[in-house]
Amino acid sequence: MKQPVRVAITGGAGQISYSLLFRIASGEMLGADQPIILHLLEMPVALEALKGVAMEIDDCAYPLLHDIVMSDDLKVTFTDVEYALLVGATPRGPGMERNDLLRINGDIFTKQGKALNDYAKRNVKVLVVGNPANTNAYIAMKSAPDLDAKNFTAMTRLDHNRALSQLAAKTGSRVTDIKKMVVWGNHSATQYPDISHTTVAGKAAKELVDQEWIVNDFIPTVQQRGAAIIKARGKSSAASAGYAALEHVRDWAMGTGDNWVSMAIPSDGSYGIPEGLIYSFPVTTKDGEYSIVQGLEIDEFSRARMDATQKELEQERDAVADLLA
Ligand code: NAD
Ligand code: LMR
C-alpha cells in the first residue's frame, strides 16, 4: 500500500465540497490504492457545519481515508499537502460589481498562495475552482514564488464537459465518440468552446453541424450554462462542478493518454497567449505533467474569440495588479 497523501480542500462545508469530498475519500480521484488524509479549510462560522460533513464522511467508513484535519488556519490546512483544491470563495452578492468580487477574492487567494508557498509540499498540484477562477489562480501563483508556476491551474473542465454533452446531444452521438474538444480562455461568458478540431466517431464535427448552430446555439449555451443553472436551480452548479474538479485532478495525476482535456494553466506563450496568463488550453497529461496540444490551425473566427477572452483575462489581471505589488 502507498503512503497516504494529504489533499487540501477549501470551502469544505460548501455545496461543491458536499459532493466532491465523498468521491475523493472513496478513491475516485487518486486511485483505489492511494490512501488519503483530507485537510479541510473553512471560515470560523462554518466550522460547525464542517464537523457535520466530517461526521458523514466518517460514517462512510472509507477504507482509503486515514484522517480528516479540519481548520480555519492556513498553516494547518496547507502543511505537507500534495494537492490543493481551492473551492471556497466569496460569491457575488446583490449589487456587487465584478471588480469588487475580484478584489475580495484577491485577498483570499493572496493569503492562500503565500501559505501554499510556505507550507505545502514542493510538488503540490493546485486547482482553483472558486470564481473568478482563472484570476484567483493567477493571484495564488504570483503569491507563491518558491513553487513552480506550472502547478497552479484553474478549472475549465466543467465547460469542457458541457461542450461535450451539447455536441453529443446535437449529433445524436455518445460523449465517448467525441474527441479533441477544446475550451479556450477564461471560465466566464467570454470563454471559447471550439469544435474546429473536434471529431465525432471519426468525422469532423464541423461537417455534422452548421455554422449557424455553432455561433447562435452551441457557443452561447456553453458560455451561459453556469447562469442558466443558477436560474433554474436557484444555486450555482455544484455536483457537476465537483465532478469536473475531480476529473481535472485525476487526469492531471493519472494521465489522459491521447485524450484532450481543457485546463486553465499559466500560458507558455503558445498560440500567442501572453506568458503567465492563466488561460484554458487543450492539453494532454502524462506522469503528472500536462502539455499543451501544439500545432493547431487557428482560423480568423477562432482567433477573434480567443482574443476576446484573452482581453478579459488581461483586464482582470490589471485590476488586481496592486494586490500583488
Ligand atoms: P458555497 O458558498 O456553497 O461554498 C463555499 C464555501 O467556502 C462556504 O462554506 C464558505 O464558508 C467557504 N469559504 C469562503 N471563503 C473562504 C475562505 N477564505 N477560506 C475557506 N473557506 C471559505 O459555494 P459553492 O457552490 O461550493 O461554490 C464555490 C465556488 O466555486 C464559488 O466561487 C463558485 O462560483 C465556484 N464555481 C466554479 C466553477 C468552475 O467551473 N470553475 C463551477 C461552479 C462553481
Ligand atoms: C458555473 O460555471 O456553473 C459556475 O462558475 C457558476 C457561475 O457563476 O457561472
Side-chain angles (χ1 to χ4, degrees), residues 131 158 162 187 226-227 230 236-237:
N131 280 321
L158 179 55
R162 287 167 172 167
H187 171 66
I230 292 172
S236 66
S237 64

Side-chain angles (χ1 to χ4, degrees), residues 10-17 41-43 45-46 74 86-91 105 108 112 128-133 136 154-159 162 187 233 236-238 241 244:
T10 71
Q15 355 165 48
I16 292 178
S17 287
L41 181 78
E42 253 304 345
M43 306 289 283
V45 293
L74 293 173
L86 308 184
V87 178
T90 302
N105 285 316
I108 294 174
Q112 293 188 359
V128 177
V129 176
N131 280 321
N136 289 339
M155 188 164 95
T156 49
R157 183 58 175 267
L158 179 55
D159 310 295
R162 287 167 172 167
H187 171 66
R233 218 172 80 84
S236 66
S237 64

Side-chain angles (χ1 to χ4, degrees), residues 160-172:
H160 182 102
N161 288 344
R162 287 167 172 167
L164 287 176
S165 167
Q166 292 298 319
L167 182 63
K170 175 71 179 173
T171 55

Side-chain angles (χ1 to χ4, degrees), residues 9 20 28 32 44 46 121 134 142 154 159 165 244 273 276 286 311:
I9 299 104
L20 176 61
E28 213 181 320
K121 282 264 176 61
N134 298 51
K142 288 290 179 190
D159 310 295
S165 167
I273 306 306
K286 195 179 173 205
K311 192 165 161 215

